[in-house]
């Protein structure tokens, strides 16, 4: 007769398996490609490196008054795609202490104030936007995000967990935002953030087919749990390191008031705040790839 396993031991085994699976996922041992920003930069093609160096030289010349004006906000890429916006054309994250600033789930009624703050501080961010009740209801904010040099990105149409739905539905969740943003701005996002950061091989394939790279994060204030701006600021500053990606939400009341203090302290600590694409440069985000610090 087979030896029975106690309930306690079954629970222990189940917990161990769950922990092992989580550890494998977090370590990058998954069925999809994961890379860190520093690794992406190091692996950039020689032609991209040369182009970046030429851009930096031109920006330096323009600053010294002996060259043409640099591109202050990034230009539209081929095929109407949003191309490496983020201002600070002379920033080289291979040398500078960079961190990417990102906002999820907007635009919202708080976004205009956030854009005012970013404009005043001369900082650009990446906006992972929701379609339903956000992009479709606030086209003026979407246009302003683009016009002021920020990066347009995709956070799905209705925040469904992409790994929990059928592939065709997941494709629609992403493609509807692509279409809506392109209709408003003439540009198509190149980056997406899966809700709750949950992705897998199928989601990666869909993303690749749509020309979307996947962007996770290393810093979260969990601002969906609190409206305490001081706490949000504290959490961000405690977690931020070079080449990090900060995740905030411009839909919550406590978040936007925290941004000035966050930016002030980050600059004091020597950080240059950039968009995700600027953080990866001279590499370009590869469709289907998962980027995680």
């Amino acid at each position: 007769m087979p030896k029975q396993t106690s309930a306690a031991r079954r629970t222990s085994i189940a917990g161990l398996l769950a922990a092992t699976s989580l550890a494998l996922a977090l370590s990058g041992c998954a069925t999809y490609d994961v890379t860190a920003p520093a690794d992406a930069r190091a692996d950039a093609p020689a032609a991209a490196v040369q182009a970046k160096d030429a851009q930096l030289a031109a920006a330096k010349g323009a600053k010294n008054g002996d060259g043409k004006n640099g591109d202050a906000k990034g230009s539209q890429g081929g095929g109407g795609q949003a191309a490496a916006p983020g201002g600070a054309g002379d920033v080289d994250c291979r040398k500078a202490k960079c961190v990417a600033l990102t906002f999820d789930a907007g635009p919202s009624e708080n976004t205009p104030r956030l854009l005012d703050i970013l404009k005043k501080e001369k900082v650009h961010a990446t906006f992972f936007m929701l379609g339903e009740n956000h992009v479709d209801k606030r086209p003026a904010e979407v246009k302003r995000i683009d016009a002021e040099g920020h990066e347009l990105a995709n956070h799905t149409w209705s925040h469904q967990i992409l790994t929990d739905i059928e592939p065709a539905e997941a494709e629609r969740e992403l493609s509807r935002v692509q279409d809506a943003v392109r209709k408003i701005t003439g540009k198509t996002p190149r980056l997406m953030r899966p809700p709750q950061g949950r992705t897998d091989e199928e989601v990666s394939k869909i993303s690749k087919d749509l020309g979307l790279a996947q962007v996770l994060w290393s810093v979260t204030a969990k601002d969906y749990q609190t409206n305490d701006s001081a706490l949000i600021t504290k959490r961000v500053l405690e977690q931020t390191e070079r080449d990090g990606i900060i995740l905030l939400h411009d839909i919550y009341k406590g978040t936007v008031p925290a941004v000035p203090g966050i930016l002030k302290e980050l600059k004091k600590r020597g950080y240059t705040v950039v968009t995700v694409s600027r953080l990866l440069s001279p590499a370009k985000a590869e469709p289907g790839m998962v980027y995680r610090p």
Side-chain angles (χ1 to χ4, degrees):
M1 182 176 179
K3 184 177 179 181
Q4 292 186 340
T5 304
S6 68
R9 178 160 175 75
R10 287 197 299 271
T11 300
S12 176
I13 292 172
L16 179 60
L17 289 173
T20 302
S21 298
L22 178 61
L24 287 171
L26 292 176
S27 66
C29 299
T31 56
Y32 48 85
D33 294 326
V34 181
T35 192
D39 293 333
R41 294 195 302 265
D43 293 338
V49 174
Q50 292 171 1
K52 176 70 174 181
D53 291 341
Q55 178 193 32
L56 293 169
K60 183 177 180 180
K63 186 178 292 186
N64 293 335
D66 59 356
K68 297 180 180 179
N69 290 333
D71 178 7
K73 57 168 272 188
S75 61
Q76 181 172 306
Q81 289 189 314
D90 57 345
V91 171
D92 185 356
C93 293
R94 294 170 295 180
K95 300 177 181 178
K97 186 179 175 183
C98 293
V99 62
L101 179 62
T102 71
F103 294 92
D104 281 13
S108 75
E109 66 274 11
N110 304 314
T111 305
R113 182 183 176 192
L114 171 61
L115 292 171
D116 290 343
I117 293 168
L118 296 175
K119 186 175 184 179
K120 179 181 178 181
E121 298 296 331
K122 298 180 180 179
V123 165
H124 292 89
T126 300
F127 285 79
F128 291 92
M129 300 178 292
L130 282 176
E132 189 174 35
N133 296 322
H134 295 276
V135 169
D136 64 344
K137 296 293 177 64
R138 296 184 176 274
E141 283 85 347
V142 176
K143 288 181 180 179
R144 185 180 170 190
I145 288 168
D146 175 50
E148 295 186 1
H150 303 286
E151 186 161 36
L152 304 165
N154 189 328
H155 195 43
T156 74
W157 186 258
S158 60
H159 209 263
Q160 293 197 63
I161 305 304
L162 299 178
T163 54
D164 289 350
I165 58 180
E166 292 298 319
E169 190 174 1
E171 192 275 339
R172 285 193 297 272
E173 278 285 305
L174 294 169
S175 64
R176 290 185 70 184
V177 177
Q178 298 292 87
D179 294 343
V181 172
R182 182 169 54 247
K183 183 176 180 181
I184 294 168
T185 67
K187 300 178 183 178
T188 305
R190 291 179 171 177
L191 307 177
M192 81 88 157
R193 175 168 283 154
Q196 297 184 8
R198 291 172 60 183
T199 187
D200 59 17
E201 187 174 10
E202 186 63 45
V203 173
S204 297
K205 179 181 182 300
I206 293 167
S207 299
K208 184 175 182 178
D209 291 344
L210 291 173
L212 288 164
Q214 304 174 82
V215 180
L216 303 185
W217 60 89
S218 59
V219 178
T220 175
K222 296 185 178 179
D223 50 354
Y224 48 85
Q225 295 179 341
T226 179
N227 286 324
D228 185 336
S229 298
L231 178 59
I232 291 169
T233 301
K234 179 175 181 290
R235 287 174 172 174
V236 169
L237 297 176
E238 285 178 345
Q239 298 173 56
T240 299
E241 296 180 353
R242 182 178 179 179
D243 286 334
I245 299 176
I246 298 170
L247 164 61
L248 292 170
H249 298 80
D250 50 330
I251 58 173
Y252 299 122
K253 294 181 179 179
T255 301
V256 172
V259 171
I262 290 170
L263 294 178
K264 180 179 179 180
E265 184 60 28
L266 288 176
K267 290 180 180 180
K268 182 178 178 182
R269 296 181 185 186
Y271 286 99
T272 299
V273 181
V274 296
T275 62
V276 171
S277 287
R278 189 70 67 190
L279 183 68
L280 298 178
S281 181
K284 291 185 178 180
E286 181 181 334
M289 179 70 73
V290 177
Y291 292 92
R292 181 185 63 207

